[in-house]
Amino acid sequence: MVFRKPPDGGWGWVIVVVSFFTQFLCYGSPLAVGVLYVEWLDAFGEGKGKTAWVGSLANGIGLLASPVCSICVSSFGARPVAIFSGFMVAGGLMMSSFAPNIYFLYVSYGIVVGLGCGLLYTATVTITCHYFDKRRGLALGLISTGSSVGLFIYAALQRELIDLYGLDGCLLIVGALSLNILACGSLMRPLESSDSPPPEKSCVDKVPDQYFVYHEKEKTVEENISILDKGYIDEKCANNMPDYKQDSILNKNVLSSINVNEKDTYKKKVVEQTNFCKQLAKRKWQLYLNYWEETVVLFKNKVFSALFVAILLFDIGGFPPSLLMEDVARSANINEDDYPVPLISIIGIMTAVGKLILGILADFKWVNTLYLYVTTLLMMGVALLAIPFAKSYLTLAMLSGILGFLTGNWSIFPYVTTKTVGIEKLTHAYGILMFFAGLGNSLGPPIVGWFYDWTQEYDTAFYFSGFCVLLGGFLLLLAALPCWNACTSQSSKLPPNTYSYKVASSA
């Protein structure tokens, strides 16, 4: 399939709109799961740690399965994956309304909805990148705000639906709303060229030459045919001999009846297939070797290693507030009637604002995005440590706004990764980091919930969360200090990198 040059407009703006609403519809409920979390605690009577697994799985499983999601979009295209994932999200939400216990929710809401969201995120980002090149940053920024706006609206929407129709009715209605993803997905028209494609290469020729690992001399077709002579004759004889006792007589009859052209054609086909399978296996093996060698090279970069630890600790400590803040207010004996706007809604709208402002700051040449990211981590750690001292709605609302704004640092994370490893290694490095981000999302809320079950208060839990985020920020700051660059410049130059990193052409 040949793709045209990204138009940077035209139908691309339709793609931006439908991608925005796709993320709005699919991520609205999982990000605002804190409203449902309180209801599930009352409905099933389980511990906070066990109940928190539902929301953490829904938000983490998509990141954990990001390699699988990428393969699906690459294999089937953004439109089919978006439509199929729309059924997954809607079906998972509707199934959750019939959940008899918390374990059913682990599958219906945590895995089914979470995996559907991961597929939709990959599909929307991929199709948007196909349609935009020069304005790609703007387009991606616009569609990423869909999840934040969804969090803001769905927090209040789910709360109102629960009051009117109960928890089960809320999930059924939210699931029905998610069916609109099908309409959005149907508009994700692939960017294909109407011109005739270039001559098709053979399957082996499609594999890049740099992935050769073996350099031994290959046998010619004639040499391979001579090796096959005996095996071919034996096969023909075995297929035509009814009685093994008459070997000497039947061998002569069979050999005399073989057509010479048929024999040569058969042997050449066998040799070609054998060589093809051999070369393909070698090159596939080289792909795996290159992948692991590139991974080792990435982790030799101390800033990347610190970034991997920082993103893991950030999601373990920084994600729980968006899930547990409503229960924190209830544990502080704050009546729901005392605050007009849900705390989760404040987090959502401020996350959108943070993504926008931090993204604009990252575009200034005088701003070091790595230090900007470290600053957001340190400030978030301090804000998390302040949560135990908040005993009123006003203070919790202020902290929710600060935490939401700082959570917007997701918009500059690709910039930080690019600055750390370079654009040629971005795809590989970003995939690794997103996997560990999903791991942190999955582990953070249950850990905080277990702390509450153990101590019967959230104070210790948020001290732990703040410590995790501060530790990640300080480690990344230490690894990014300029003194390391000074030491590196005095050392001998490293040999040139021999590994191949392919970047999609913008032409």
mmCIF file of all heavy atoms in Angstrom, residues 40 45 54 62 66 74 138 146 149 197 205 241 264 278 333 394 417 420-421 448 457-458 481 488 492:
data_model
loop_
_atom_site.group_PDB
_atom_site.id
_atom_site.type_symbol
_atom_site.label_atom_id
_atom_site.label_comp_id
_atom_site.label_asym_id
_atom_site.label_seq_id
_atom_site.Cartn_x
_atom_site.Cartn_y
_atom_site.Cartn_z
ATOM 1 N N TRP A 40 -19.044 1.037 43.721
ATOM 2 C CA TRP A 40 -18.656 -0.372 43.797
ATOM 3 C C TRP A 40 -18.242 -0.768 45.213
ATOM 4 O O TRP A 40 -18.474 -1.909 45.628
ATOM 5 C CB TRP A 40 -17.513 -0.644 42.823
ATOM 6 C CG TRP A 40 -17.947 -0.669 41.389
ATOM 7 C CD1 TRP A 40 -19.163 -1.078 40.905
ATOM 8 C CD2 TRP A 40 -17.184 -0.293 40.245
ATOM 9 N NE1 TRP A 40 -19.210 -0.974 39.545
ATOM 10 C CE2 TRP A 40 -18.001 -0.496 39.103
ATOM 11 C CE3 TRP A 40 -15.891 0.198 40.055
ATOM 12 C CZ2 TRP A 40 -17.568 -0.227 37.804
ATOM 13 C CZ3 TRP A 40 -15.453 0.469 38.763
ATOM 14 C CH2 TRP A 40 -16.282 0.258 37.659
ATOM 15 N N GLY A 45 -18.940 -4.434 48.805
ATOM 16 C CA GLY A 45 -18.396 -4.553 50.145
ATOM 17 C C GLY A 45 -16.979 -5.088 50.201
ATOM 18 O O GLY A 45 -16.566 -5.629 51.237
ATOM 19 N N VAL A 54 -10.102 -2.530 39.508
ATOM 20 C CA VAL A 54 -10.980 -2.365 38.339
ATOM 21 C C VAL A 54 -10.549 -1.146 37.529
ATOM 22 O O VAL A 54 -10.294 -1.229 36.318
ATOM 23 C CB VAL A 54 -12.443 -2.235 38.783
ATOM 24 C CG1 VAL A 54 -13.345 -2.086 37.551
ATOM 25 C CG2 VAL A 54 -12.874 -3.443 39.602
ATOM 26 N N GLY A 62 -4.316 -0.961 28.495
ATOM 27 C CA GLY A 62 -4.071 -0.465 27.138
ATOM 28 C C GLY A 62 -2.617 -0.118 26.906
ATOM 29 O O GLY A 62 -2.068 -0.362 25.828
ATOM 30 N N SER A 66 0.336 -2.106 24.522
ATOM 31 C CA SER A 66 0.602 -1.202 23.397
ATOM 32 C C SER A 66 1.320 -1.869 22.231
ATOM 33 O O SER A 66 1.009 -1.556 21.071
ATOM 34 C CB SER A 66 1.404 0.013 23.892
ATOM 35 O OG SER A 66 2.592 -0.376 24.541
ATOM 36 N N SER A 74 -1.343 -1.811 12.495
ATOM 37 C CA SER A 74 -0.485 -1.957 11.313
ATOM 38 C C SER A 74 -1.004 -3.035 10.377
ATOM 39 O O SER A 74 -0.887 -2.921 9.157
ATOM 40 C CB SER A 74 0.948 -2.290 11.750
ATOM 41 O OG SER A 74 1.484 -1.255 12.548
ATOM 42 N N LEU A 138 0.132 20.062 16.472
ATOM 43 C CA LEU A 138 -1.159 20.679 16.757
ATOM 44 C C LEU A 138 -2.276 19.648 16.701
ATOM 45 O O LEU A 138 -3.153 19.614 17.591
ATOM 46 C CB LEU A 138 -1.428 21.796 15.745
ATOM 47 C CG LEU A 138 -2.816 22.446 15.802
ATOM 48 C CD1 LEU A 138 -3.031 23.124 17.137
ATOM 49 C CD2 LEU A 138 -2.982 23.428 14.643
ATOM 50 N N GLY A 146 -9.240 15.302 24.039
ATOM 51 C CA GLY A 146 -10.523 14.607 24.099
ATOM 52 C C GLY A 146 -10.684 13.787 25.362
ATOM 53 O O GLY A 146 -11.765 13.765 25.973
ATOM 54 N N VAL A 149 -11.255 16.273 28.357
ATOM 55 C CA VAL A 149 -12.621 16.807 28.343
ATOM 56 C C VAL A 149 -13.610 15.707 28.724
ATOM 57 O O VAL A 149 -14.600 15.953 29.436
ATOM 58 C CB VAL A 149 -12.951 17.396 26.962
ATOM 59 C CG1 VAL A 149 -14.406 17.861 26.899
ATOM 60 C CG2 VAL A 149 -12.025 18.552 26.640
ATOM 61 N N PRO A 197 0.469 1.080 -7.747
ATOM 62 C CA PRO A 197 1.649 0.875 -6.907
ATOM 63 C C PRO A 197 2.827 0.392 -7.725
ATOM 64 O O PRO A 197 2.662 -0.127 -8.833
ATOM 65 C CB PRO A 197 1.183 -0.203 -5.915
ATOM 66 C CG PRO A 197 0.086 -0.920 -6.635
ATOM 67 C CD PRO A 197 -0.579 0.097 -7.501
ATOM 68 N N ASP A 205 12.653 -10.089 -0.688
ATOM 69 C CA ASP A 205 13.240 -8.791 -1.009
ATOM 70 C C ASP A 205 12.659 -7.675 -0.157
ATOM 71 O O ASP A 205 13.260 -6.613 -0.027
ATOM 72 C CB ASP A 205 13.020 -8.470 -2.494
ATOM 73 C CG ASP A 205 13.807 -9.386 -3.400
ATOM 74 O OD1 ASP A 205 14.825 -9.939 -2.913
ATOM 75 O OD2 ASP A 205 13.416 -9.564 -4.561
ATOM 76 N N MET A 241 5.551 -47.693 -5.460
ATOM 77 C CA MET A 241 5.833 -49.103 -5.219
ATOM 78 C C MET A 241 4.779 -49.717 -4.312
ATOM 79 O O MET A 241 4.665 -49.330 -3.159
ATOM 80 C CB MET A 241 7.199 -49.276 -4.566
ATOM 81 C CG MET A 241 8.361 -49.141 -5.529
ATOM 82 S SD MET A 241 9.873 -49.754 -4.808
ATOM 83 C CE MET A 241 9.951 -48.826 -3.341
ATOM 84 N N ASP A 264 12.886 -31.609 -13.371
ATOM 85 C CA ASP A 264 13.650 -30.378 -13.145
ATOM 86 C C ASP A 264 12.800 -29.305 -12.474
ATOM 87 O O ASP A 264 13.256 -28.594 -11.580
ATOM 88 C CB ASP A 264 14.192 -29.861 -14.480
ATOM 89 C CG ASP A 264 15.245 -30.800 -15.059
ATOM 90 O OD1 ASP A 264 15.803 -31.612 -14.279
ATOM 91 O OD2 ASP A 264 15.499 -30.717 -16.273
ATOM 92 N N LYS A 278 14.895 -20.460 4.447
ATOM 93 C CA LYS A 278 16.156 -20.294 5.159
ATOM 94 C C LYS A 278 16.507 -18.818 5.340
ATOM 95 O O LYS A 278 16.861 -18.371 6.437
ATOM 96 C CB LYS A 278 17.266 -21.015 4.385
ATOM 97 C CG LYS A 278 18.610 -21.026 5.092
ATOM 98 C CD LYS A 278 19.623 -21.811 4.276
ATOM 99 C CE LYS A 278 20.986 -21.817 4.966
ATOM 100 N NZ LYS A 278 22.001 -22.551 4.175
ATOM 101 N N ASN A 333 -15.127 13.199 55.646
ATOM 102 C CA ASN A 333 -16.459 13.607 56.108
ATOM 103 C C ASN A 333 -16.971 14.871 55.417
ATOM 104 O O ASN A 333 -17.643 15.700 56.023
ATOM 105 C CB ASN A 333 -16.467 13.816 57.624
ATOM 106 C CG ASN A 333 -16.147 12.544 58.383
ATOM 107 O OD1 ASN A 333 -16.610 11.463 58.010
ATOM 108 N ND2 ASN A 333 -15.349 12.656 59.438
ATOM 109 N N LEU A 394 -12.536 23.092 49.719
ATOM 110 C CA LEU A 394 -11.765 24.120 49.028
ATOM 111 C C LEU A 394 -10.312 23.701 48.856
ATOM 112 O O LEU A 394 -9.740 23.830 47.754
ATOM 113 C CB LEU A 394 -11.850 25.440 49.804
ATOM 114 C CG LEU A 394 -11.088 26.629 49.195
ATOM 115 C CD1 LEU A 394 -11.622 26.945 47.807
ATOM 116 C CD2 LEU A 394 -11.173 27.855 50.109
ATOM 117 N N THR A 417 11.399 12.331 25.652
ATOM 118 C CA THR A 417 11.965 11.088 25.128
ATOM 119 C C THR A 417 12.831 11.343 23.906
ATOM 120 O O THR A 417 13.918 10.777 23.754
ATOM 121 C CB THR A 417 10.837 10.099 24.776
ATOM 122 O OG1 THR A 417 9.956 9.969 25.894
ATOM 123 C CG2 THR A 417 11.410 8.734 24.432
ATOM 124 N N THR A 420 16.097 12.790 24.838
ATOM 125 C CA THR A 420 16.940 11.829 25.544
ATOM 126 C C THR A 420 17.601 10.833 24.599
ATOM 127 O O THR A 420 18.797 10.560 24.702
ATOM 128 C CB THR A 420 16.115 11.077 26.596
ATOM 129 O OG1 THR A 420 15.523 12.012 27.492
ATOM 130 C CG2 THR A 420 16.993 10.102 27.371
ATOM 131 N N VAL A 421 16.846 10.270 23.651
ATOM 132 C CA VAL A 421 17.360 9.182 22.815
ATOM 133 C C VAL A 421 17.523 9.569 21.356
ATOM 134 O O VAL A 421 18.155 8.828 20.590
ATOM 135 C CB VAL A 421 16.447 7.940 22.917
ATOM 136 C CG1 VAL A 421 16.343 7.480 24.358
ATOM 137 C CG2 VAL A 421 15.068 8.218 22.344
ATOM 138 N N VAL A 448 -2.284 2.047 46.919
ATOM 139 C CA VAL A 448 -2.850 3.070 47.796
ATOM 140 C C VAL A 448 -4.054 2.515 48.551
ATOM 141 O O VAL A 448 -4.245 2.770 49.752
ATOM 142 C CB VAL A 448 -3.241 4.317 46.974
ATOM 143 C CG1 VAL A 448 -4.009 5.316 47.841
ATOM 144 C CG2 VAL A 448 -1.991 4.984 46.406
ATOM 145 N N GLU A 457 -6.731 4.810 56.925
ATOM 146 C CA GLU A 457 -6.630 6.226 56.604
ATOM 147 C C GLU A 457 -5.802 6.376 55.333
ATOM 148 O O GLU A 457 -5.025 5.483 54.965
ATOM 149 C CB GLU A 457 -5.961 7.005 57.738
ATOM 150 C CG GLU A 457 -4.538 6.545 58.020
ATOM 151 C CD GLU A 457 -3.871 7.369 59.106
ATOM 152 O OE1 GLU A 457 -4.556 8.206 59.701
ATOM 153 O OE2 GLU A 457 -2.668 7.166 59.330
ATOM 154 N N TYR A 458 -5.988 7.514 54.644
ATOM 155 C CA TYR A 458 -5.275 7.761 53.393
ATOM 156 C C TYR A 458 -3.950 8.483 53.594
ATOM 157 O O TYR A 458 -3.186 8.653 52.636
ATOM 158 C CB TYR A 458 -6.147 8.588 52.433
ATOM 159 C CG TYR A 458 -7.120 7.762 51.620
ATOM 160 C CD1 TYR A 458 -8.491 7.900 51.796
ATOM 161 C CD2 TYR A 458 -6.670 6.855 50.672
ATOM 162 C CE1 TYR A 458 -9.387 7.154 51.046
ATOM 163 C CE2 TYR A 458 -7.554 6.099 49.922
ATOM 164 C CZ TYR A 458 -8.910 6.257 50.120
ATOM 165 O OH TYR A 458 -9.787 5.512 49.375
ATOM 166 N N LEU A 481 22.030 16.134 35.111
ATOM 167 C CA LEU A 481 22.922 17.244 35.457
ATOM 168 C C LEU A 481 23.994 17.444 34.395
ATOM 169 O O LEU A 481 24.522 16.469 33.846
ATOM 170 C CB LEU A 481 23.575 16.988 36.815
ATOM 171 C CG LEU A 481 22.655 17.085 38.039
ATOM 172 C CD1 LEU A 481 23.418 16.728 39.310
ATOM 173 C CD2 LEU A 481 22.051 18.479 38.150
ATOM 174 N N THR A 488 31.653 13.163 30.056
ATOM 175 C CA THR A 488 31.567 12.372 28.829
ATOM 176 C C THR A 488 32.404 12.968 27.720
ATOM 177 O O THR A 488 33.027 12.269 26.928
ATOM 178 C CB THR A 488 30.099 12.261 28.380
ATOM 179 O OG1 THR A 488 29.329 11.713 29.446
ATOM 180 C CG2 THR A 488 29.973 11.370 27.159
ATOM 181 N N SER A 492 36.880 9.147 25.559
ATOM 182 C CA SER A 492 37.052 8.840 24.136
ATOM 183 C C SER A 492 35.696 8.657 23.484
ATOM 184 O O SER A 492 34.731 8.241 24.113
ATOM 185 C CB SER A 492 37.862 7.554 23.973
ATOM 186 O OG SER A 492 37.217 6.474 24.621
#
